[in-house]
Amino acid sequence: MTVTSGTRVLHLDTLVRLQRGHRAPGTLRRLPVPDGMTAPMGCDAVAVPARLGPLVMPRLPRVGCVYADAAHWWWLVPSDSDYALEWPAPARYATGAVLHDTPDLPGLIHRPDGTLPYTPPIPLYLTLCRLTGTAPAWSRPVSA
């Protein structure tokens, strides 16, 4: 934040942090990082309807931790994996891997070898774009 002549200037990073700090009321549950794993880049999650989950898994070069229940599958990704990306509907992005209004935490259905819980976000994004028939954000026409 910069102060010039008594005026506060908020930078984009500050605005993003403020927006992410705003939480809607309701039950909040966070997807846990399994014991023995570390998340040095923080964790967010990407959710898709359960019908898409089995279609996504074999298309990824590396699969991190995946959680599932009857309605959704969630992939752990590094924090800020939504930066400059619009995840295609019906995917939902969960900052902090916090699940809003979910009665119970979903179960862990895939744990990778090693200590990092992440699915690489770009291959996941491209897979979801392909499955949903959505053009990746960087390949869409730009209007003036």
Side-chain angles (χ1 to χ4, degrees), residues 126-144:
L126 291 172
T127 298
L128 292 173
C129 284
R130 176 164 284 197
L131 290 173
T132 61
T134 304
W138 54 80
S139 67
R140 295 181 198 146
V142 177
S143 59

Side-chain angles (χ1 to χ4, degrees), residues 10 17 36 39 45 48 61 64 69-70 75 82 86 117 128 130:
L10 297 177
R17 274 195 306 277
V48 300
D69 61 20
W75 279 262
D82 62 335
E86 293 177 34
L128 292 173
R130 176 164 284 197

Side-chain angles (χ1 to χ4, degrees), residues 8-76:
R8 291 177 128 184
V9 178
L10 297 177
H11 297 280
L12 182 57
D13 291 340
T14 303
L15 294 173
V16 168
R17 274 195 306 277
L18 289 173
Q19 187 271 334
R20 289 185 174 186
H22 175 71
R23 298 279 186 223
T27 303
L28 300 177
R29 301 197 191 294
R30 184 180 313 270
L31 292 173
V33 174
D35 289 340
M37 300 191 100
T38 62
M41 296 183 277
C43 273
D44 290 346
V46 177
V48 300
R51 65 181 165 73
L52 292 177
L55 301 174
V56 172
M57 292 284 278
R59 289 179 163 92
L60 296 173
R62 180 187 189 284
V63 178
C65 290
V66 181
Y67 296 82
D69 61 20
H72 294 93
W73 286 30
W74 289 265
W75 279 262
L76 289 185

Side-chain angles (χ1 to χ4, degrees), residues 112-126:
D113 294 332
T115 60
L116 296 177
Y118 306 122
T119 293
I122 297 301
L124 178 59
Y125 173 79
L126 291 172

